[in-house]
Amino acid sequence: EGNISSVGSTAAANSVLASGGQMQGSRAVNADNRAQNVSATGGKGHVALGAVASVDKTGRSLANSQSFEQTEVKNTRSIVSGNQADQVHSSGGSALANSVLARQSKLDNATVQSANNRASRVSANGGKGSVALGAANTNARSMAAANSVSVKDGTVGNGVRVNVSGNQATQVEASGGSAFANSVAVYNQGRVHGGTITLQKNTASNVSVKGSTNEVLGGGRSKNGILAANSVYVEGNEGTEINRATVAVRGNTATDVQADGGRVNANALAVNARGKVNGGTVLLDSNRASNISSKSSETTVMGRAVSRNVGTSQANALQVDGQMNNARVGIVRNQATNVSASKGLAAANSV
């Protein structure tokens, strides 16, 4: 415990970082650790006279977490259990608390588990860049992950077993990016082949996300925020998929989950964009959701509305914007109250 901080790089406490190598027949265990006040801030760059653009280096904060970057992981158990993390923050990057991140990596015949962890006050803000003379202004995407498993541009296959159970997450928020609480996220060419994904008896409360706005030559552009609480979230192009897997979301509780200009998923399986679910079984059972909301946002630049983000809310629901083929679906014994969306879809206990 203590204050751990970094500018323009990575701040890590009680964590495992693997990059550009191979792990085989191994066990990576983070258990019964305590981490508090872990923060990282992206560095700032600037181009004079507006020639190109400024660039921000992303900052990453890891507390009781595991990060695999461009790493091949075979026959390995990745376990994050019994940890407590509080006040984990990143500006212009990712904040991970009691979580596992696999980015541009391959997990083969792996067991990935996040169980009985406690995370609070986990936050990430998008980084900012600017160009002199007002040419452009950009915001980096951010991610706040608490007790979660995130697969980005990677593959989890050959009988993978992902278990997220018995976790508690509160006060998790992201501005201009994604917030994941007790969830499994597969996106940007991420793939899961076979095996099981189980989310069970998790509690998420006070989870929020906000969309971001960029300004370019007096115009504007908005990005929706993404929020998943006790959920499996799949998004990407045609390469993103969950294939012949069993997905079970049962006995979870989500309360006070909100997005301002974004998508909310609570105790749900969401398949967005061109993501695919092929074969397998999906079960949503005995989940509780209350006060789940998303509202649209409107961006105004120079007195004119230039973009609108449409909010959607899914509670104890299966959402398929991509493709689902030959899958068996069960939605039973769920309860949802106060589920709302402004100028978008609100769905509860439904497909």
Side-chain angles (χ1 to χ4, degrees):
E1 293 186 78
N3 296 319
I4 300 174
S5 63
S6 172
V7 176
S9 187
T10 299
N14 311 324
S15 296
V16 175
L17 292 87
S19 179
Q22 185 181 75
M23 294 178 63
Q24 185 167 354
S26 303
R27 295 181 77 238
V29 179
N30 294 71
D32 302 322
N33 297 294
R34 306 291 181 268
Q36 188 175 23
N37 297 324
V38 182
S39 64
T41 302
K44 296 181 179 179
H46 182 76
V47 178
L49 301 178
V52 185
S54 71
V55 178
D56 279 13
K57 296 180 180 179
T58 60
R60 290 192 304 163
S61 299
L62 290 86
N64 314 324
S65 295
Q66 300 182 11
S67 175
F68 302 102
E69 303 272 349
Q70 298 178 336
T71 301
E72 186 174 3
V73 182
K74 291 184 176 181
N75 304 320
T76 292
R77 293 174 61 86
S78 171
I79 299 173
V80 179
S81 177
N83 300 289
Q84 294 185 17
D86 180 49
Q87 290 184 284
V88 182
H89 176 73
S90 174
S91 179
S94 302
L96 305 178
N98 312 327
S99 295
V100 177
L101 169 65
R103 184 160 57 184
Q104 296 180 345
S105 299
K106 181 179 181 180
L107 278 64
D108 195 358
N109 191 28
T111 296
V112 183
Q113 176 175 299
S114 175
N116 303 317
N117 299 291
R118 306 292 179 266
S120 59
R121 292 185 288 182
V122 181
S123 61
N125 299 324
K128 296 181 179 180
S130 62
V131 175
L133 304 181
N137 180 18
T138 61
N139 281 357
R141 299 289 286 180
S142 62
M143 179 180 72
N147 314 326
S148 294
V149 177
S150 174
V151 181
K152 180 179 181 182
D153 297 316
T155 300
V156 180
N158 290 342
V160 64
R161 297 161 297 279
V162 180
N163 180 23
V164 178
S165 62
N167 298 292
Q168 294 183 10
T170 183
Q171 292 180 265
V172 180
E173 61 181 63
S175 177
S178 305
F180 302 130
N182 312 327
S183 294
V184 176
V186 183
Y187 56 106
N188 285 22
Q189 290 276 16
R191 299 183 181 184
V192 176
H193 293 291
T196 61
I197 299 176
T198 303
L199 276 63
Q200 182 170 268
K201 297 182 178 179
N202 299 290
T203 301
S205 61
N206 296 316
V207 185
S208 63
V209 69
K210 293 182 179 179
S212 65
T213 302
N214 302 333
E215 183 177 342
V216 180
L217 295 174
R221 182 180 63 184
S222 291
K223 298 178 181 178
N224 279 344
I226 297 168
L227 190 157
N230 310 331
S231 296
V232 179
Y233 183 87
V234 182
E235 180 172 327
N237 55 29
E238 294 180 358
T240 301
E241 65 179 357
I242 295 179
N243 190 34
R244 298 189 304 276
T246 298
V247 179
V249 180
R250 57 190 177 217
N252 300 286
T253 301
T255 58
D256 298 321
V257 178
Q258 302 175 346
D260 183 359
R263 296 188 290 264
V264 172
N265 305 279
N267 311 328
L269 169 60
V271 184
N272 292 279
R274 296 183 179 180
K276 299 178 182 179
V277 175
N278 294 316
T281 301
V282 177
L283 175 64
L284 307 180
D285 182 8
S286 302
N287 299 291
R288 305 290 181 266
S290 61
N291 300 328
I292 313 299
S293 66
S294 180
K295 60 181 179 180
S296 61
S297 64
E298 182 175 88
T299 302
T300 302
V301 176
M302 299 179 66
R304 181 177 63 175
V306 296
S307 63
R308 294 175 176 84
N309 290 336
V310 176
T312 62
S313 295
Q314 315 283 340
N316 313 329
L318 170 60
Q319 172 198 344
V320 182
D321 288 343
Q323 298 181 23
M324 174 170 283
N325 303 309
N326 302 317
R328 296 179 295 275
V329 177
I331 300 178
V332 296
R333 294 183 291 270
N334 300 288
Q335 293 183 8
T337 58
N338 296 328
V339 180
S340 63
S342 173
K343 299 180 182 179
L345 173 67
N349 308 332
S350 60
V351 178

